[in-house]
Amino acid sequence: MKDTAETVLGLLPRDVAYADVRVVERTHELVLVEHEGPGDVMRENSLGVGVRVVIGGQWGFAATHRLDRKGLTDAVTEAVAQARAAGGGAKIALGQPVTTRARWSSPMSVDPFTVPLSSKLDLLAAAVAEASTAGPLLRQIEASMDFFRDDKVFANTEGALIEQTITESGAGLMAVASDGDDVQRRSFPQAVPRSIRGQRGQFATAGYEHIPALCLVEEAARVGADAVALLSAPQCPDETSTLVITGAQLAMLLHECAGHPMEADRALGSEVSLAGGTYASPERRGTFRFGSPIVSVHADATIPGALGSYAYDDEGVAAQRTELVKDGVFTGYLSGRESAAALGQESSGAARADGWQRIPLVRMTNLCLEPGDSSLAEMIADTKRGVLMDMTKSVSIDDQRLSFRLGAEAGWEIRDGKLGRLLKNCTYSGVTPRFWADCDALGNHDEFQVHGIPSCNKGEPLQVAHIGHGTVPARFRNVQIGTR
């Protein structure tokens, strides 16, 4: 792979102002067990090279799976032709040169690709069997594992040469119950949209040791029972009330309200025609109040074991921590080299590509809500009337990332400081800065957890990023809940 990258650089014509090449081998294994028995069992492998060039102030890009000299020459020729065909333009600013030479592998104890398939199937089957004890109203049960490995080489014309190996593991469980008139679901340990097959649960940059630590079998009976209990639970009321959100639910809220809006390429208008704009425009940086003074948000690609962690991004920039919201005020962006330079900054090391055949885009890393000094138990005890909601079931937000509505898999009444009845079809809505302005309590460091989500979509053609969200339980006052 290193030789391939150096070969590509050697094929570049003299008028190339800048170029980089990424050689990536990706391995993905999915193991899925359903109510009826084993479902999808798959292992796929992909190897190829992507090359970007700048000529006359324009980008060109090409990718190929043909790694012989002709294939590499054809890819370079295509990338160069694209840049030249675009015509001359203003010089592309990329900030300080990237000259790093390094090698890094993510830590792991047990290589997931060496664990026998039978062991994985046995664990998932045991989880499904435990969940099914909730009875015949369970119509669907899925337990799955996913494992990813990226072997990557990055090189550029500035002198960088970086080799990385990143291994990721995850697993989860979902139970769906129906009585013929209603359908309810419960997930563990993290929920994702039902349209995503597999890739549900909690993921980490780790080896197979992460899987038994999730305790799927131990939690499965409760998950199934919760799904069945939701069928007979009362509806979430329509009212303005106090809302307490678990960390698992808050992950998606943070993702939509702070993550995507604070990606620098979006703020510069590159996604307007596809995904929309953002309230976090450059002139608002440092003055726009995102939330109450207890709310601070940062992105950190250096958290050990978190799914959005790595050593270097796909432009060779070192992983780092970046402040996005400080004491309730919007302060910064996730960025790549070009978007950062356009804002007069240096890259935050957040440019990543979904494999060798895609260009790097600005992506979330580990987006974290900084803990407070409360706890979930204290928030509930200090609430006279409200609702506790857990696990994301649905999400909708406008193209400026302002007005939103989120649905939760389950909720519970809070009455006089105690949890009451289980509630179904729980939703809440708000406008981002107003909603976060009413955040009056955050869980402490003991309740902080990074939720790994391997399904963040962006770009055209679509790219899927693996990201983390560090969250704690939180409480919000004066929230519209229910379907009204």
Side-chain angles (χ1 to χ4, degrees):
M1 294 173 69
K2 178 180 173 182
D3 292 344
T4 298
E6 293 176 335
T7 297
V8 170
L9 293 181
L11 295 171
L12 298 170
R14 292 184 176 181
D15 60 341
V16 169
Y18 169 84
D20 59 37
V21 55
R22 291 177 300 105
V23 187
V24 181
E25 182 174 17
R26 170 170 290 178
T27 304
H28 172 213
E29 181 179 270
L30 163 67
V31 184
L32 175 70
V33 173
E34 300 176 285
H35 211 163
E36 299 80 11
D40 295 337
V41 178
M42 172 201 71
R43 182 180 288 195
E44 57 185 358
N45 183 268
S46 172
L47 173 62
V49 59
V51 55
R52 295 193 305 173
V53 303
V54 177
I55 299 177
Q58 300 290 342
W59 285 104
F61 173 77
T64 182
H65 67 278
R66 293 176 51 200
L67 302 188
D68 58 3
R69 191 170 184 85
K70 183 179 186 309
L72 299 178
T73 300
D74 288 347
V76 170
T77 300
E78 181 180 348
V80 168
Q82 282 184 17
R84 288 175 176 164
K91 181 180 179 181
I92 293 176
L94 297 175
Q96 293 297 313
V98 174
T99 60
T100 304
R101 303 181 76 86
R103 172 181 286 182
W104 181 82
S105 295
S106 61
M108 67 175 179
S109 298
V110 181
D111 186 345
F113 295 100
T114 65
V115 175
L117 177 61
S118 59
S119 298
K120 299 168 182 174
L121 287 169
D122 287 347
L123 189 153
L124 295 175
V128 170
E130 285 295 312
S132 66
T133 59
L137 292 180
L138 284 176
R139 308 300 187 185
Q140 180 184 4
I141 305 172
E142 288 184 6
S144 61
M145 299 180 190
D146 282 89
F147 306 100
F148 299 88
R149 173 166 293 145
D150 277 1
D151 289 298
K152 307 195 289 186
V153 173
F154 171 86
N156 67 15
T157 52
E158 297 169 335
L161 181 60
I162 300 170
E163 299 172 79
Q164 290 189 92
T165 298
I166 301 174
T167 303
E168 301 166 342
S169 302
L173 175 71
M174 180 188 71
V176 179
S178 176
D179 57 9
D181 297 319
D182 192 12
V183 177
Q184 297 291 330
R185 83 173 198 205
R186 209 64 175 98
S187 303
F188 177 83
Q190 181 69 25
V192 298
R194 288 194 60 192
S195 59
I196 300 174
R197 190 166 177 80
Q199 295 188 26
R200 67 178 69 254
Q202 169 69 340
F203 284 71
T205 300
Y208 191 81
E209 67 277 2
H210 174 66
I211 304 301
L214 294 175
C215 300
L216 288 189
V217 177
E218 293 83 347
E219 294 288 340
R222 176 192 60 79
V223 173
D226 283 356
V228 172
L230 283 166
L231 294 173
S232 56
Q235 294 274 352
C236 179
D238 291 324
E239 62 185 24
T240 299
S241 187
T242 296
L243 174 66
V244 180
I245 309 177
T246 66
Q249 164 71 208
L250 193 60
M252 186 56 68
L253 178 67
L254 192 67
H255 178 100
E256 300 294 353
C257 291
H260 283 306
M262 297 176 191
E263 294 165 341
D265 54 351
R266 187 185 189 107
L268 292 169
S270 66
E271 290 198 289
V272 170
S273 62
L274 175 67
T278 174
Y279 64 83
S281 52
E283 69 274 9
R284 286 179 161 178
R285 187 176 56 192
T287 60
F288 180 79
R289 180 153 290 282
F290 171 84
S292 69
I294 69 170
V295 175
S296 293
V297 180
H298 66 269
D300 189 352
T302 69
I303 300 175
L307 191 62
S309 294
Y310 45 85
Y312 302 91
D313 75 356
D314 287 333
E315 293 182 324
V317 178
Q320 56 199 267
R321 173 176 167 143
T322 304
E323 182 184 276
L324 303 178
V325 176
K326 181 63 175 177
D327 299 332
V329 177
F330 158 56
T331 56
Y333 291 108
L334 291 154
S335 62
R337 292 184 66 183
E338 185 176 10
S339 57
L343 295 168
Q345 301 176 325
E346 290 298 321
S347 171
S348 73
R352 293 191 286 161
D354 183 11
W356 51 268
Q357 66 274 55
R358 299 286 185 260
I359 63 172
L361 302 174
V362 178
R363 306 308 300 259
M364 281 175 260
T365 57
N366 298 304
L367 189 71
C368 300
L369 178 65
E370 296 184 18
D373 56 8
S374 185
S375 69
L376 179 59
E378 289 171 344
M379 292 177 213
I380 293 170
D382 190 37
T383 300
K384 182 171 181 59
R385 181 182 178 89
V387 174
L388 169 68
M389 296 191 191
D390 181 46
M391 293 288 185
T392 302
K393 187 176 182 180
S394 63
V395 59
S396 175
I397 192 165
D398 70 20
D399 63 358
Q400 294 297 307
R401 322 307 286 183
L402 283 169
S403 297
F404 63 84
R405 180 183 294 277
L406 271 79
E409 287 189 349
W412 292 265
E413 289 180 332
I414 302 174
R415 296 293 184 267
D416 297 321
K418 296 181 180 180
L419 287 182
R421 298 180 300 170
L422 177 69
L423 302 172
K424 66 181 177 183
N425 302 332
C426 295
T427 65
Y428 60 96
S429 59
V431 176
T432 295
R434 299 177 198 165
F435 182 87
W436 285 92
D438 284 326
C439 180
D440 73 342
L442 293 171
N444 57 42
H445 287 273
D446 292 339
E447 296 184 317
F448 181 83
Q449 181 181 0
V450 181
H451 304 272
I453 302 173
S455 53
C456 176
N457 297 329
K458 181 175 178 178
E460 180 61 40
L462 182 69
Q463 297 195 40
V464 180
H466 297 183
I467 61 177
H469 291 314
T471 59
V472 292
R475 186 175 64 191
F476 301 82
R477 300 292 190 179
N478 305 311
V479 178
Q480 177 61 52
I481 64 173
T483 57
R484 185 172 59 194

